[in-house]
Amino acid sequence: MLYEATTEAVNLKEEAQEQEDARFAEAAEAEGEAAPEPPDCQGQNHHVISRPIAKALKRHKTLGGLYEPRDERFVAKAKDRDSHCGYQQWHRDVDKEVIRWLRDFPTATRKEFENFLRGIYSRPDMLKRFPHGF
């Protein structure tokens, strides 16, 4: 009985945190912090440190001040228009995942964070979009 109540409480807390992360990314997009879809794009440069991620990094205990929004050190060239044009759903999902990771690892080092990012961009679905990684 106690285990079930604890498990339910943990699940509710995780669900609430996921909703908060989604609201955070959506609010950043609504404030114009995410790049709008440009006209006639043919495969954009993708900034791994998006504005929503940079905002979360700014508040991070150990990583604050180390990265800039749309940091030029972390750019990947998209294969084509379908791979990246504007702030697509896959981009929102990646932002939420990174923001969640930053929250879950408040004392992460720069090396750990960058390895986490490289892990995301090494996934098969991401390599299809960005064949050269970042």
Side-chain angles (χ1 to χ4, degrees), residues 7 10-11 23 31 35 37 41 56 71 81 86 112 121:
T7 302
V10 167
N11 289 341
R23 281 192 302 275
E31 291 172 14
E37 184 170 323
C41 82
D71 198 313
R81 183 188 203 296
E112 291 168 330
Y121 288 87

Side-chain angles (χ1 to χ4, degrees), residues 24-107:
F24 180 84
E26 289 166 7
E29 179 186 5
E31 291 172 14
E33 293 184 354
E37 184 170 323
D40 193 34
C41 82
Q42 298 299 318
Q44 291 181 283
N45 283 333
H46 168 63
H47 294 87
V48 174
I49 307 293
S50 67
R51 288 185 179 109
I53 290 171
K55 200 173 202 179
L57 280 164
K58 190 174 181 180
R59 298 188 319 243
H60 194 271
K61 182 178 179 180
T62 56
L63 300 174
L66 299 178
Y67 303 90
E68 296 294 322
R70 300 172 58 84
D71 198 313
E72 292 299 323
R73 296 172 296 169
F74 301 91
V75 176
K77 177 68 175 164
K79 180 179 74 175
D80 55 25
R81 183 188 203 296
D82 291 338
S83 296
H84 180 34
C85 187
Y87 197 52
Q88 297 161 299
Q89 187 60 50
W90 68 263
H91 199 311
R92 290 179 184 92
D93 293 342
V94 168
D95 281 0
K96 288 180 216 172
E97 180 180 0
V98 174
I99 291 165
R100 188 177 317 117
W101 188 91
L102 290 167
R103 184 197 68 241
D104 291 346
F105 296 93
T107 59

